Amino acid sequence: MKAFRRTALALLTACTLPMIAASATAQEKPVVQFIATGGTIAMKIDPVKNAPVPAISGDDLLATVPDVGKYARIQVNNLSNVPSDYMDPARWVQLTQAVQAALARPEVAGAIVSHGTDTLEETAFWLDLTVQSSKPVVLIGAQRNASVSDFDGPRNLLNAVRIAVDPKARDKGAMLAMNNQINAARYVTKTHTANVETFRSGEFGFLGEVYPDRVNFASAPARRQHLPIQAQTMPEVEIFPMYGGANGQAVRQAVDRGVKGIVIDALGMGNMNVAMLDAAKYALGKNVPVVVSTRVHNGRVMPSYGFEGGGKTSFEAGAVMADDLRAPKARILLMLALQSGVTGQKDLQAVFDR
């Protein structure tokens, strides 16, 4: 009987110790908060509609990537499951609160946000401005839905986990990680409707890349600022494009209905025609701030050209130059500045120049 007990004890010990060791190892892994919001990365082909629709949760996506367990313990927050075309300031406020709450926990190394690609660059910039933490925030999406054989969501999630736990990712703000490439929130933009290598940062280039053996950072974003959320409802800011023959009527109508800020997606270095300039002056005369951006992919807007409608004339009328921000991101920065109480050309220009 004693021999039997010794044998049983030995067997129990042999089985239990590896389990305890494995459990201890798992507990040593850093925690990463995975916040799912929807998008193509959460879609499958609906057999009736024969088109991608929201279908899978963050937990479902995580289950397709068992290798994440080598790097971190993942906690999932299924915040929403909507196309990113539905994202708006109210959802952005909610997302910032979720990310900030996660990063405030000492055991959390970083946060991942899965999101549709259509407005992914806007959400990335919003989070870069509103989340205050040295811990990384990594945004991912997918160009191919979960029904196709070469679904890119799992690889992007695995890479995001590796970035989130990498010490070199700290103090870089919000980053967008897809197709093994890492982009800074301020400059990244979607450049192709279908290709997996759609997100690029123009002349500024990638922050780094993800390789099988390590995450490789080449640079860090230098132009960052924090604007805390001080209101649950953001002031309404509208974007109006400049094009050949634009008459500015839509700008005037927006001012008359009470819009709080206007971004003009101008031409070249920030130029527009006389009709649009007059509309901008109308807005400024009603104390509605006007920010001038450009539809050109690279470069800054500046008060350079002096013809009527040139950037110099709109600046002299009181407009703010958006620097190198394109219209959607200029709109976000203007909203956050206004809700923080920043008004007037001089103070708003200082925000855009940072």
Side-chain angles (χ1 to χ4, degrees):
M1 179 64 72
K2 290 181 179 180
F4 173 78
R5 287 176 179 171
R6 285 196 298 271
T7 302
L9 181 60
L11 287 172
L12 180 62
T13 301
C15 293
T16 304
L17 287 179
M19 293 174 61
I20 294 173
S23 176
T25 301
Q27 291 299 317
E28 291 170 2
K29 299 289 185 186
V31 174
V32 171
Q33 179 73 70
F34 173 30
I35 302 172
T37 69
T40 299
I41 197 170
M43 293 186 184
K44 283 188 172 183
I45 299 293
D46 181 275
V48 176
K49 296 182 178 180
N50 194 29
V53 297
I56 68 175
S57 67
D59 303 271
D60 296 328
L61 178 61
L62 183 63
T64 69
V65 198
D67 282 354
V68 297
K70 297 176 183 178
Y71 305 99
R73 291 180 288 140
I74 311 299
Q75 297 177 352
V76 181
N77 175 2
N78 291 296
L79 190 65
S80 62
N81 194 348
V82 297
S84 69
D85 312 82
Y86 295 1
M87 295 301 286
D88 58 18
R91 292 186 187 275
W92 285 333
V93 169
Q94 184 184 27
L95 180 57
T96 292
Q97 292 169 344
V99 172
Q100 194 71 68
L103 297 183
R105 295 162 48 203
E107 72 274 17
V108 173
I112 296 170
V113 177
S114 62
H115 193 286
T117 59
D118 284 350
T119 59
L120 184 50
E121 64 203 68
E122 293 179 55
T123 298
F125 188 53
W126 170 277
L127 291 176
D128 194 59
L129 291 170
T130 60
V131 173
Q132 189 169 33
S133 175
S134 62
K135 299 176 182 179
V137 178
V138 187
L139 293 96
I140 60 170
Q143 286 287 81
R144 297 166 181 159
N145 69 78
S147 292
V148 301
S149 59
D150 54 352
F151 177 39
D152 52 325
R155 170 61 65 89
N156 292 335
L157 176 57
L158 177 60
N159 285 347
V161 171
R162 293 177 58 197
I163 295 166
V165 300
D166 194 303
K168 298 187 296 296
R170 294 178 68 89
D171 296 309
K172 290 183 173 61
M175 295 168 281
L176 196 157
M178 288 180 60
N179 199 43
N180 298 335
Q181 298 158 339
I182 309 169
N183 287 275
R186 180 182 178 93
Y187 296 113
V188 68
T189 189
K190 187 174 182 177
T191 64
H192 197 284
T193 58
N195 286 352
V196 293
E197 192 168 318
T198 180
F199 284 101
R200 294 184 172 274
S201 295
E203 296 173 331
F204 295 96
F206 304 124
L207 293 179
E209 296 176 298
V210 182
Y211 287 90
D213 61 333
R214 71 172 185 265
V215 177
N216 193 33
F217 281 101
S219 61
R223 299 188 66 178
R224 297 190 57 229
Q225 59 181 306
H226 176 64
L227 285 84
I229 294 174
Q230 299 181 0
Q232 287 297 113
T233 302
M234 291 293 118
E236 184 181 2
V237 175
E238 292 282 1
I239 299 172
F240 298 95
M242 173 60 209
Y243 50 86
N247 60 24
Q249 285 302 312
V251 175
R252 295 172 183 271
Q253 291 166 2
V255 171
D256 290 342
R257 69 176 172 80
V259 73
K260 302 303 180 185
I262 286 170
V263 175
I264 296 179
D265 196 14
L267 309 174
M269 205 174 282
N271 305 319
M272 59 191 81
N273 62 16
V274 174
M276 190 65 90
L277 175 63
D278 287 343
K281 289 179 177 179
Y282 179 79
L284 292 165
K286 300 283 188 177
N287 294 318
V288 177
V290 175
V291 172
V292 179
S293 183
T294 177
R295 71 183 194 184
V296 181
H297 295 302
N298 294 297
R300 297 170 57 204
V301 293
M302 295 178 64
S304 181
Y305 286 88
F307 63 85
E308 195 72 4
K312 191 172 190 294
T313 61
S314 61
F315 182 74
E316 289 174 345
V320 172
M321 299 288 107
D323 200 86
D324 58 10
L325 289 177
R326 298 302 164 258
K329 292 180 182 179
R331 170 180 173 260
I332 287 171
L333 185 53
L334 180 56
M335 277 194 304
L336 288 169
L338 292 176
Q339 63 94 42
S340 297
V342 180
T343 58
Q345 183 189 30
K346 181 180 178 181
D347 292 338
L348 284 171
Q349 190 64 64
V351 170
F352 277 84
D353 286 345
R354 285 178 199 153

